[in-house]
Amino acid sequence: MHEIIILWEEKGVTKAETIKEGQPSKNPGTVRLGREPNHCDITFDDPRISRLHAEIFYNNQHSKFYVRNLKASNPLMVDDQLVVKDGEVALNQDSVIYFGQTEVKIIYTNSTNMLTAPTILLPPTASNNNGTVLHSPHISQPIGGVVPAGISRFGTTHLVCPNLNCSNPDPQRLIPLERLNVGCSWCGTSLADAGSVFLPNNN
């Protein structure tokens, strides 16, 4: 089953929802987004977002999720692309949809649409080797700033070395995403089958 997680900031905290291919919804085949709960599956508390603003659906032909704009007078943006009414744009790993004043981050949780294996959302009690508490995006928390590739204003994506005997001092065996085509910097193991972990920002 293909699915994505969408993340956004609302009143200073991070919210998250999972969208799955073929999930039950108010409009079968799509998941609708906007302010009106009677018409939308996912709602936002942003007065600049339309009551029924857009819908997300899985395109089997292209093996990707797409977003479709439903409001002629209120076009949305995907990354740097303007999407007019009935226009559709593919959503990639780390794409950002701009609704009104809300930025919605896209995280693919399966390997079909990203170069790594499924993303793991760490539980709120997990911590790294520095003692820093790692929170799941399902837990309300502030969002950080804009940072480079592999990292977003919502957090950072790391690979997990599949070698259980890796000499990495991090007990989670986390490796920077840019090492994907190079291999683990600690043990040299290929990262082609590595899992990935998304660590939301805490500030």
Side-chain angles (χ1 to χ4, degrees):
M1 166 121 13
H2 302 94
E3 64 179 40
I4 55 175
I5 294 172
I6 64 172
L7 301 170
W8 73 97
E9 180 182 2
E10 196 165 280
K11 296 180 178 178
V13 299
T14 301
K15 291 195 171 183
E17 292 283 350
T18 299
I19 297 176
K20 299 180 180 181
E21 175 189 6
Q23 75 178 51
S25 64
K26 297 183 184 297
N27 184 52
T30 71
V31 173
R32 292 192 155 178
L33 300 87
R35 289 187 295 108
E36 177 53 62
N38 291 331
H39 302 293
C40 299
D41 303 288
I42 299 174
T43 58
F44 301 86
D45 186 18
D46 178 347
R48 298 200 179 190
I49 291 178
S50 301
R51 296 176 65 187
L52 175 57
H53 201 138
E55 59 188 6
I56 291 176
F57 60 96
Y58 187 75
N59 185 313
N60 284 295
Q61 180 178 357
H62 298 288
S63 299
K64 283 188 177 182
F65 282 90
Y66 275 64
V67 63
R68 178 184 295 127
N69 184 36
L70 300 176
K71 192 68 176 179
S73 61
N74 197 4
L76 55 87
M77 294 278 294
V78 176
D79 300 324
D80 296 323
Q81 185 172 354
L82 182 68
V83 186
V84 297
K85 187 177 186 298
D86 296 327
E88 301 173 359
V89 174
L91 298 174
N92 299 308
Q93 178 74 354
D94 296 329
S95 280
V96 177
I97 306 173
Y98 298 89
F99 295 92
Q101 294 184 323
T102 300
E103 298 180 16
V104 178
K105 170 73 176 292
I106 304 299
I107 302 292
Y108 275 88
T109 62
N110 62 288
S111 57
T112 301
N113 301 92
M114 54 189 296
L115 295 177
T116 61
T119 296
I120 303 164
L121 298 176
L122 294 180
T125 55
S127 62
N128 62 18
N129 59 316
N130 295 320
T132 302
V133 176
L134 308 174
H135 296 276
S136 164
H138 293 283
I139 304 299
S140 294
Q141 58 182 293
I143 298 177
V146 178
V147 285
I151 308 175
S152 75
R153 70 185 299 270
F154 292 90
T156 308
T157 300
H158 296 270
L159 299 174
V160 179
C161 179
N163 180 7
L164 298 179
N165 297 314
C166 178
S167 58
N168 189 337
D170 185 339
Q172 309 251 349
R173 306 191 308 281
L174 300 184
I175 303 294
L177 186 62
E178 58 265 25
R179 298 286 305 181
L180 175 64
N181 297 318
V182 181
C184 177
S185 54
W186 295 95
C187 66
T189 299
S190 170
L191 299 174
D193 296 320
S196 62
V197 173
F198 180 74
L199 306 182
N201 290 330
N202 294 326
N203 52 14

